Amino acid sequence: MDKAPKLSQVSVHERKSGEELDVTKESISGNTQLYRATLRRGLQPGEKLSLNIDYLFVSLVEPRPKSVGQSEDQSWLWEDQSLVASVYPTRKQKTVVKTRGDVLRFTPLDAAKDGRHSVVFGPYTTEKSSRVEVGFKDNKEQMEAVTHRREYFVSHWANDLNVLEHYALRNRGPELSGGFDKVDQMVSKYMKRRDNLVKTLLVKVPADAREMYFVDEIGNVSTSAVSGRRKGEEPFKVLQLRPRYPMPGGWNYTWWHGYSVPLDRYLKLSSAQPRHLLRLPFIGSLAGCASQEGELTVAMANAQNTVVRAYELRVTLPEGARDIDVKLPFAGQALLQPTKYYFDSVGRTVIVIKHENIAPAMSSRHILVSYSYAPLTLWMKPAVVAAALFMVFMLASTASRMQYGLTSSAKKPSNTASKAAKKQAAAGKAD
């Protein structure tokens, strides 16, 4: 099984001090991806150092069987090699697999079952690796965002930070065998019996979020609600998004939602130098839930059961921001793209960050953006709007004074003047 495409992150810590080491990605050796960890100091001959190496994978377990009934239990399969891949010889290794649900089976059979949720393989003293697997039951929701794009729009003039999120979501659970049964769903609802349908999507939003909306490819979705913050809970509200249909295993749903928050909660002015410091969450939190209760809590939204395979973060800075610096919570690259919106004169900068295999635990990380923004730049937009309105007024005023007819501009003599001229001519002849 090739696990490299599902690797989210690698971290190395010294076990005694807890200090994290710098890890860099090296070249690929055959079918193996190599990583290099740099020690804080060199080791003397015979000196030992204990390290903790943490690998974080997404979507590593697979449903087995791949299809079940609408109310049947979900079973999952984890499989791997008995020895961890390493460029160094392994003298002794013991592998402990802990599951969230009850262990149903494991291979090889000589492994030891340690309680209901743990299996111990080894210890191994040979360098020959073999395949090991563990099957377990888990009826919790497991969601996967195939694509997810989060956009921030910064406005100094309105003191507003607008957040927009696009999702293409899939239920990773086993597919339905026999098709969707609406009657069975209603019976499960009134009998309070569990099923494998995700009916509600929970999004944590700040407690002061406003102007929230929920739209899919058809249009506005009115089946949504907001749960207020309860006493003693985190400073968040829960945005309850109810799709147009329940999501069994293998079904997809695409939508986007957004809201606004005060900008001064995330933007600070550096006292050492006139620079603005913008601290933003790297990614939002989303949890799938099978409950249909009217009010769901922040604790339910902390289920962390949604992984993101392809993620894109976009931060649109105000017009006139310059000397931009971006600090990421991981090794990566931020691209700066110029763009223009309505009534922009010099344009603005959009920060684009792309990442793959985002685990739910990364929702607590932040990015830091610093930039310079002159006070007079705040009046650039009103000046451009005023100039545009003035130009429109001048064009309208000039157009109203112009004649577009085909008649001659010279005036014809009146009948009275013509008669007077004839009388003078007749008097001259008489003389």
Side-chain angles (χ1 to χ4, degrees):
M1 179 180 181
D2 187 10
K3 299 188 298 181
K6 300 182 178 181
L7 178 64
S8 176
Q9 62 180 359
V10 179
S11 60
V12 182
H13 298 79
E14 292 186 4
R15 182 173 300 177
K16 186 176 181 180
S17 63
E19 294 183 359
E20 185 175 359
L21 305 183
D22 295 333
V23 179
T24 56
K25 194 174 183 179
E26 299 291 328
S27 59
I28 298 178
S29 177
N31 295 328
T32 305
Q33 175 67 58
L34 301 180
Y35 290 85
R36 180 188 297 273
T38 305
L39 301 179
R40 300 290 183 182
R41 59 178 182 83
L43 294 179
Q44 301 298 326
E47 186 180 3
K48 295 182 180 180
L49 178 64
S50 298
L51 300 176
N52 286 340
I53 305 176
D54 299 320
Y55 300 93
L56 184 58
F57 296 91
V58 299
S59 305
L60 196 58
V61 296
E62 296 294 335
R64 292 291 188 275
K66 294 185 176 181
S67 60
V68 295
Q70 192 164 296
S71 301
E72 294 180 356
D73 291 331
Q74 298 180 145
S75 300
W76 301 83
L77 177 67
W78 171 87
E79 57 179 344
D80 203 348
Q81 295 297 314
S82 58
L83 297 180
V84 176
S86 174
V87 296
Y88 304 102
T90 301
R91 294 183 179 179
K92 186 178 180 180
Q93 176 182 319
K94 182 173 68 173
T95 303
V96 180
V97 181
K98 296 182 179 181
T99 62
R100 189 165 58 179
D102 294 344
V103 174
L104 302 178
R105 59 185 178 86
F106 51 86
T107 304
L109 298 178
D110 58 355
K113 186 177 180 181
D114 185 14
R116 297 170 54 190
H117 308 290
S118 180
V119 179
V120 179
F121 295 94
Y124 299 102
T125 57
T126 176
E127 295 185 9
K128 184 178 180 181
S129 182
S130 59
R131 180 188 174 194
V132 295
E133 61 182 37
V134 176
F136 60 96
K137 181 181 72 173
D138 186 6
N139 291 322
K140 296 293 185 180
E141 302 83 1
Q142 294 200 28
M143 313 300 293
E144 180 182 72
V146 182
T147 60
H148 174 28
R149 184 173 78 250
R150 185 180 180 94
E151 302 183 29
Y152 291 105
F153 298 90
V154 181
S155 174
H156 283 232
W157 180 261
N159 186 33
D160 181 79
L161 178 66
N162 186 265
V163 183
L164 174 62
E165 295 191 274
H166 297 256
Y167 273 96
L169 193 67
R170 184 175 74 92
N171 187 348
R172 291 196 65 247
E175 297 182 359
L176 283 180
S177 60
F180 174 70
D181 190 342
K182 182 65 176 179
V183 175
D184 189 19
Q185 180 200 354
M186 299 305 296
V187 171
S188 299
K189 176 182 178 180
Y190 290 104
M191 298 294 294
K192 298 188 181 300
R193 187 180 64 190
R194 62 157 299 276
D195 54 31
N196 300 324
L197 307 177
V198 173
K199 310 174 189 67
T200 308
L201 304 172
L202 306 180
V203 181
K204 287 172 55 177
V205 298
D208 52 359
R210 60 184 187 273
E211 300 175 3
M212 288 171 275
Y213 56 91
F214 174 30
V215 183
D216 63 8
E217 294 177 325
I218 299 177
N220 181 65
V221 185
S222 59
T223 54
S224 60
V226 179
S227 297
R229 177 191 176 190
R230 295 180 177 178
K231 186 177 181 180
E233 287 186 337
E234 302 176 51
F236 293 97
K237 295 187 291 188
V238 178
L239 178 60
Q240 305 173 20
L241 309 178
R242 295 186 178 89
R244 297 181 185 273
Y245 49 85
M247 295 177 59
W251 285 32
N252 305 302
Y253 188 60
T254 303
W255 83 94
W256 59 94
H257 66 268
Y259 54 90
S260 295
V261 291
L263 179 62
D264 51 14
R265 291 188 62 245
Y266 304 90
L267 185 67
K268 303 298 180 183
L269 182 62
S270 175
S271 58
Q273 51 184 339
R275 289 183 65 83
H276 290 76
L277 303 179
L278 183 64
R279 187 173 182 265
L280 298 172
F282 171 66
I283 191 172
S285 174
L286 175 69
C289 184
S291 176
Q292 289 182 320
E293 298 297 331
E295 184 175 355
L296 304 174
T297 63
V298 175
M300 296 181 182
N302 289 331
Q304 294 189 345
N305 55 17
T306 304
V307 301
V308 181
R309 298 306 300 268
Y311 179 63
E312 180 179 347
L313 175 64
R314 302 176 68 90
V315 182
T316 303
L317 297 178
E319 186 179 18
R322 55 186 178 83
D323 300 332
I324 302 169
D325 181 61
V326 183
K327 293 184 179 179
L328 304 179
F330 50 83
Q333 185 178 7
L335 303 178
L336 303 181
Q337 295 182 355
T339 187
K340 280 191 176 183
Y341 287 97
Y342 298 107
F343 295 109
D344 280 354
S345 54
V346 298
R348 60 188 69 196
T349 302
V350 179
I351 303 172
V352 181
I353 303 169
K354 295 183 179 181
H355 202 69
E356 295 181 349
N357 299 332
I358 304 294
M362 299 180 69
S363 60
S364 60
R365 299 189 178 186
H366 293 75
I367 66 170
L368 182 62
V369 181
S370 62
Y371 58 92
S372 300
Y373 190 74
L376 292 179
T377 310
L378 191 63
W379 299 94
M380 184 181 302
K381 180 74 69 177
V384 172
V385 174
L389 293 177
F390 179 75
M391 292 297 298
V392 171
F393 173 77
M394 292 301 297
L395 290 175
S397 178
T398 303
S400 65
R401 287 173 169 79
M402 297 179 64
Q403 296 185 359
Y404 301 97
L406 300 180
T407 59
S408 174
S409 60
K411 294 184 178 180
K412 295 182 179 181
S414 62
N415 294 333
T416 305
S418 177
K419 292 178 179 179
K422 289 181 180 180
K423 289 181 178 180
Q424 289 181 0
K429 290 180 181 181
D431 292 342

